[in-house]
Amino acid sequence: PRTVAQAKSLDQMMEKRGEKLDHIVELKVDEKALFARIDNRAAEAKAGGAAVRADDTPEILKKRIAVYREQTQPILPYY
């Protein structure tokens, strides 16, 4: 699930099956490494004559990180 609402729905679905979620996995990645990866991928694409992916920009990554913090990160204390 990506939101607490989705987590609650998943819990209800699993409860009907007699199952329970008892573990979650959180991947922690250095944000600087994420930005560097985008920069490297863009540089490699340009060097190879390929188009840079439209969603591979620092601005899009900043938005994705903000959405994660707002919508997904609250799942951690929920579980």
Side-chain angles (χ1 to χ4, degrees):
R2 291 186 178 196
T3 65
V4 172
Q6 289 176 353
K8 289 178 180 179
S9 292
L10 176 62
D11 288 348
Q12 290 172 355
M13 181 185 70
M14 292 180 72
E15 187 176 320
K16 289 177 184 176
R17 297 171 143 189
E19 299 173 344
K20 182 180 177 186
L21 184 66
D22 57 4
H23 290 81
I24 62 170
V25 176
E26 177 187 18
L27 300 177
K28 292 186 177 187
V29 180
D30 178 15
E31 288 182 17
K32 290 179 185 178
L34 296 175
F35 285 99
R37 182 177 176 191
I38 286 176
D39 289 340
N40 290 339
R41 194 161 38 200
E44 288 175 3
K46 288 177 185 176
V52 176
R53 290 175 34 174
D55 63 344
D56 262 358
T57 67
E59 295 78 24
I60 297 291
L61 179 57
K62 286 177 189 175
K63 288 178 186 176
R64 287 181 175 168
I65 291 170
V67 167
Y68 169 80
R69 288 184 179 143
E70 180 182 317
Q71 296 180 9
T72 305
Q73 199 169 32
I75 292 173
L76 299 174
Y78 173 80
Y79 282 115

